[in-house]
Amino acid sequence: MRPGALRDGLRLSFGTLTLLPVRAPTVVDRDAAAVAMTAALLPGALLGLAVGATTALLLALGLAPLPVGFVAVGVGVLLTRFLHLDGLADTADGLTAGHTPERALEVMHRGDVGPAGATVLVLVLAGQATAVAAVAGAGHPWWAVVGLLTLAWAGSRAVLALLTAVGTRPAQRSGLGAGVLGSVPRSVCWAPAALLGALGLLGAGWPAALAVVAGLVAAAGLAVHAHRRLGGLTGDVLGAGVEVALLAALAVLTAL
């Protein structure tokens, strides 16, 4: 790894995955991309901490769990500049359009939201919000609520290391996905999720660890389907993987 790659990768990770005003990387190359994707759980944890703190505060003010869930998810969305939701909608539209990879990619590049994209956006966001509401209304102490939601958001970003591991290939030569796909060494692509799973197991038991696993499985399943359909992955698919992983992780956490 070149000197400065760690600094550039962290800047790339936080600057891309959050709206924090971090400095731009000095150099964006494969080394920086590998660090950014491997470290994606860190900005994810920061987002989850903000979502968890919002949830705990609103509950303390006496709001009902369901509206708290929708507000909390909205905070998470705002702190990412709607980045992954755009990818989720475009991926849904592309994977349901036509029969050829070229047609699917064309639909994904158009920028508008079709019926499939709109439907998936509503269902995924509603699912995330109701799951947060279930976690919030389960009677956990406030610090446990914050911890569980931090785990879910961090876990949903940890999947990016797996989805961009060496061997994954882009469906197109340009775009954010092309710059990061295939950059993370296979020896470390599982490390972020394994770390979070171990922390979840120690802190809250098997359901917390299974939440991380569920997020990985959901994102990997989407990636495999998209790879077959498109001939590779795109930045939109990576964003969709994050949102699907978050929904799966939150759904499992409702069992706690």
Side-chain angles (χ1 to χ4, degrees):
M1 181 182 295
R2 66 170 174 82
L6 178 60
R7 176 201 60 208
D8 287 336
L10 290 174
R11 287 178 178 177
L12 180 62
S13 190
F14 279 91
T16 302
L17 300 179
T18 75
L19 52 64
L20 289 176
V22 299
R23 290 185 178 182
T26 304
V27 177
V28 178
D29 58 9
R30 301 296 280 179
D31 287 342
V35 172
M37 295 297 97
T38 304
L41 80 165
L42 297 178
L46 187 62
L47 291 168
L49 187 62
V51 171
T54 300
T55 302
L57 176 61
L58 294 179
L59 288 175
L61 293 175
L63 274 68
L66 187 57
V68 167
F70 276 90
V71 172
V73 169
V75 167
V77 168
L78 288 173
L79 292 177
T80 60
R81 305 187 192 92
F82 298 82
L83 174 67
H84 306 304
L85 293 183
D86 178 68
L88 178 65
D90 286 344
T91 299
D93 284 332
L95 294 180
T96 57
H99 297 287
T100 65
E102 293 76 17
R103 172 58 179 165
L105 290 169
E106 177 188 346
V107 169
M108 293 171 70
H109 291 159
R110 285 194 315 212
D112 57 346
V113 179
T119 301
V120 168
L121 277 177
V122 171
L123 291 177
V124 169
L125 287 174
Q128 292 174 355
T130 53
V132 170
V135 172
H140 302 300
W142 70 267
W143 49 266
V145 171
V146 174
L148 291 173
L149 295 182
T150 300
L151 178 73
W153 258 261
S156 68
R157 274 61 182 178
V159 304
L160 289 173
L162 178 64
L163 298 186
T164 58
V166 171
T168 57
R169 66 173 186 265
Q172 52 195 8
R173 295 183 178 180
S174 61
L176 175 62
V180 298
L181 284 163
S183 65
V184 179
R186 291 181 180 177
S187 58
V188 301
C189 68
W190 294 94
L195 173 62
L196 288 174
L199 291 175
L201 178 62
L202 293 173
W206 281 108
L210 288 174
V212 177
V213 174
L216 276 179
V217 171
L222 173 64
V224 168
H225 176 61
H227 196 282
R228 291 174 177 171
R229 182 73 174 78
L230 305 174
L233 303 183
T234 69
D236 285 333
V237 175
L238 298 181
V242 166
E243 293 298 333
V244 170
L246 178 58
L247 176 60
L250 288 171
V252 173
L253 288 180
T254 63
L256 279 170

